[in-house]
Amino acid sequence: MLALARKVNESIVIGNDIEVTILEIKGDQIKIGIDAPKSVPIYRKEIYVQIQEENKKAAEEEIDVSALKNVFKDSVKKTK
């Protein structure tokens, strides 16, 4: 892990197109701004962990293949 010291209005650059700027420091909270392309997903870590857990649960669920086939058959009939 790289640890850097920054003051308000100072930034770091990640790669060629991500910039993280310190916007405000109040007590034990720091407000940061992230300038990145829209194609780069940005999450708070606790939200990212929840997403990963939900994805893992979904991947472990058993899929009813026959019900899935019926869904596709019905959608094909509706498009004709």
Side-chain angles (χ1 to χ4, degrees):
M1 174 187 292
L2 173 64
L4 300 171
R6 300 278 72 200
K7 295 179 182 176
V8 173
N9 295 322
E10 292 183 338
S11 301
I12 62 168
V13 176
I14 302 171
N16 293 322
D17 52 6
I18 301 172
E19 183 175 353
V20 180
T21 304
I22 305 303
L23 302 175
E24 181 180 12
I25 301 172
K26 273 188 182 176
D28 64 347
Q29 286 193 332
I30 299 171
K31 189 179 287 188
I32 62 171
I34 303 169
D35 186 16
K38 290 189 182 286
S39 62
V40 176
I42 301 171
Y43 304 103
R44 294 189 332 248
K45 184 170 182 178
E46 61 272 18
I47 300 300
Y48 178 79
V49 168
Q50 285 179 340
I51 291 168
Q52 295 302 310
E53 289 171 358
E54 289 299 318
N55 287 345
K56 185 177 177 185
K57 285 181 194 175
E60 292 172 351
E61 288 182 13
E62 192 170 312
I63 297 172
D64 183 354
V65 176
S66 61
L68 190 58
K69 285 180 182 178
N70 290 335
V71 169
F72 284 112
K73 284 180 187 176
D74 292 343
S75 66
V76 169
K77 287 178 186 176
K78 290 179 184 177
T79 59
K80 288 185 178 181

